[in-house]
Amino acid sequence: MKQPARSFPIPPSVPQEAEGEQVVIDDDREQSPFPEASPEEAQMADSITSEIYMYIYRDGWDEIIEELKGSKDNLAEAVGDMAGNLLSNEMLMAEEEGAEISREMYLDMQSGVVHQLTEVIAEKDIRKFKDDNEAQAFMGEALTYAINANIDSEDTKITRDSWLELTKEMLRGGVDPQPRQVAGNRVIEEVV
Amino acid sequence: MAQKTVTTKPTKNKWIKEIKWPVIIGATLLGGMGAYGAGLSGGGQSLTSNIKLGTNTLLGNLFGGGTVAAKASMVPVHHAGSTGVMSTGGSALKAASGGGIGGFFGNLLGGMFGGEGGTGISLGNIISGIGGYFGSKANYELSERALDLKEQFGYEDVRLKEEELALQTMKAEAAIAAEKRQTAIGSTFMGHTNPIAAAAEGLTGVEQGLQVADTWVTPEVRKKAGGALGGPQQGLITQAKQRQVS
């Protein structure tokens, strides 16, 4: 086997990985159409959500389960309101302690909390999902309620006006949900 | 408030997959519609009614006046556990909307609004889906007209500029029409409007000009009648004959 004298031209849109570096591509996970967060923002978001997850799985567990079991008729709304209130309170508490919380990470954090609570109801058999689409539809509804709960909360950084601004931004095409080209490891063709 | 995300976050959970981006975007837009509807007269009752009110108001304004042709195609809609094809009528939509917000997402992911379900959904599919599901008419072609929505969100400057532009256009058209009329009036043919100028666009109330016969019509004469001088010649010379002679 020998290497070709000249490799084929690589289109500029195809990212080239360093040799030897392996990139695992998860087919189930689409790349985010939103701008990538900075490491500081990501850390900040994780610090907020980890507190909430801790509460869900420890101190608040019994209360949350009881609340969700009692809301089977409007479970998505209950999950959404709960997720929205938990995040809203957590952000406000963190800011009272002097932290600076970027609301640009709000959707990322909120979808995470909704996801965790949905996990809880699935794990506790409060609601069974026959497939992923059904779970996604449930979480979408819950997320909508969570956003609404945040808009109605005491958070002065997420208001009706600010959300309309975000909506406008999305309608102007600022976010395109079409998955971007997935980065992969280019294999150099070999001539036998 | 641009939103950012962490794409490197690993999937931690074994039960439910993380929320897909089209779902997040759909929820974000629905939140916006709800926020918009909540501020309108009659809003503030429930999130679903706010979304419907917001969507209807936005789309009603957008497509009002017949200036924009809304595509009224048949939309496949999940309803009562089955998939059917519904017309774009309002009553059909009411039935289609019966599933609430969760039903919207179910249809979105099921490819009911276009795309291929969870992976091939575009922003246009989502907006179109919201219009079709929560609006009073189904399946607007919003994907190409999403930017027009900015007016409804308070882009008064854009609206005013468009109005001013329309006004200027009207003025220009009026000036052209006046000039044409002036030309038409100044150019007459035997006391009537010049037939060529009369054909000018924008000129109304034009009288028909003098018509000249293309073919000669044989004049009728009174047979057996005596001539004007009682001679053997037949009747009077007609006006047409007179004109020909002269």
Side-chain angles (χ1 to χ4, degrees):
Chain A
M1 290 188 292
K2 63 177 183 180
Q3 292 289 331
R6 183 184 298 169
S7 62
F8 297 106
I10 299 170
S13 59
V14 178
Q16 300 174 48
E17 302 296 336
E19 194 174 347
E21 185 180 342
Q22 293 294 322
V23 178
V24 178
I25 300 171
D26 184 356
D27 290 337
D28 291 332
R29 183 168 174 78
E30 295 171 35
Q31 289 204 336
S32 165
F34 296 108
E36 185 91 16
S38 67
E40 293 78 21
E41 287 173 322
Q43 191 177 4
M44 177 271 300
D46 282 345
S47 70
I48 294 290
T49 51
S50 61
E51 290 288 335
I52 296 171
Y53 301 160
M54 198 81 80
Y55 176 77
I56 291 172
Y57 289 104
R58 288 186 182 175
D59 298 344
W61 179 259
D62 292 337
E63 189 184 352
I64 287 170
I65 298 299
E66 188 180 352
E67 179 81 19
L68 293 177
K69 279 184 176 175
S71 308
K72 282 189 175 179
D73 292 339
N74 56 342
L75 197 54
E77 184 176 352
V79 167
D81 286 345
M82 190 181 287
N85 292 334
L86 281 171
L87 180 58
S88 175
N89 287 336
E90 198 63 40
M91 289 192 297
L92 292 177
M93 282 194 298
E95 285 178 335
E96 282 176 5
E97 293 171 5
E100 197 169 318
I101 310 298
S102 169
R103 297 303 189 273
E104 292 184 0
M105 298 298 296
Y106 167 73
L107 274 178
D108 191 82
M109 293 187 285
Q110 189 67 85
S111 59
V113 177
V114 167
H115 177 228
Q116 286 294 336
L117 287 174
T118 306
E119 281 249 315
V120 169
I121 63 170
E123 193 174 349
K124 298 299 289 182
D125 278 342
I126 298 171
R127 170 82 181 261
K128 289 182 179 177
F129 300 106
K130 63 181 180 186
D131 55 26
D132 184 49
N133 268 10
E134 195 175 291
Q136 292 288 332
F138 176 86
M139 289 191 288
E141 183 175 6
L143 182 58
T144 308
Y145 278 105
I147 290 168
N148 188 57
N150 253 281
I151 291 171
D152 291 341
S153 75
E154 295 176 359
D155 189 345
T156 55
K157 292 179 180 173
I158 295 180
T159 62
R160 185 183 298 171
D161 289 339
S162 73
W163 206 258
L164 284 175
E165 278 298 318
L166 175 64
T167 308
K168 277 192 292 183
E169 189 179 310
M170 297 179 90
L171 289 174
R172 282 198 296 263
V175 174
D176 188 352
Q178 288 283 13
R180 295 175 197 161
Q181 193 162 13
V182 178
N185 197 22
R186 182 176 173 81
V187 178
I188 305 296
E189 293 184 37
E190 293 182 344
V191 178
V192 180
Chain B
M1 189 175 59
Q3 289 295 307
K4 295 182 178 179
T5 188
V6 183
T7 55
T8 54
K9 191 164 64 179
T11 301
K12 305 166 192 166
N13 308 284
K14 59 182 179 179
W15 301 96
I16 307 290
K17 291 179 182 174
E18 288 189 357
I19 305 179
K20 293 178 177 176
W21 294 113
V23 174
I24 294 175
I25 291 170
T28 306
L29 291 176
L30 287 186
M33 296 292 176
Y36 185 73
L40 297 172
S41 174
Q45 294 177 0
S46 72
L47 179 57
T48 307
S49 66
N50 288 343
I51 291 170
K52 286 180 180 175
L53 184 60
T55 305
N56 275 312
T57 306
L58 281 170
L59 301 188
N61 290 342
L62 180 64
F63 292 104
T67 54
V68 179
K71 183 183 179 184
S73 60
M74 304 297 276
V75 185
V77 179
H78 274 305
H79 180 55
S82 65
T83 303
V85 177
M86 288 186 166
S87 72
T88 54
S91 57
L93 187 79
K94 297 287 183 200
S97 303
I101 300 169
F104 163 76
F105 284 105
N107 285 349
L108 178 70
L109 294 164
M112 296 297 112
F113 305 135
E116 300 165 359
T119 55
I121 301 171
S122 70
L123 182 60
N125 295 143
I126 297 171
I127 298 170
S128 178
I130 291 173
Y133 196 83
F134 293 102
S136 56
K137 290 181 180 178
N139 204 26
Y140 292 110
E141 280 195 319
L142 285 178
S143 57
E144 295 175 1
R145 309 204 62 81
L147 294 181
D148 290 346
L149 288 172
K150 66 183 181 294
E151 289 179 33
Q152 312 302 327
F153 277 110
Y155 270 63
E156 281 297 305
D157 54 342
V158 176
R159 190 179 63 79
L160 289 173
K161 281 177 184 171
E162 285 175 351
E163 280 185 0
E164 189 182 354
L165 181 65
L167 188 64
Q168 293 297 332
T169 306
M170 283 173 61
K171 282 181 180 175
E173 287 174 351
I176 292 168
E179 193 177 346
K180 282 180 178 174
R181 286 192 192 97
Q182 203 169 15
T183 306
I185 291 165
S187 171
T188 57
F189 178 71
M190 292 181 70
H192 295 272
T193 307
N194 186 333
I196 298 170
E201 191 181 353
L203 197 59
T204 57
V206 178
E207 296 176 18
Q208 194 175 29
L210 179 63
Q211 299 295 306
V212 179
D214 292 330
T215 55
W216 173 255
V217 179
T218 306
E220 284 188 21
V221 296
R222 286 193 291 172
K223 297 177 180 175
K224 298 180 183 176
L229 303 175
Q233 285 81 7
Q234 292 179 332
L236 296 170
I237 299 172
T238 63
Q239 194 177 13
K241 186 73 175 175
Q242 283 177 331
R243 191 180 297 125
Q244 189 186 41
V245 171
S246 62

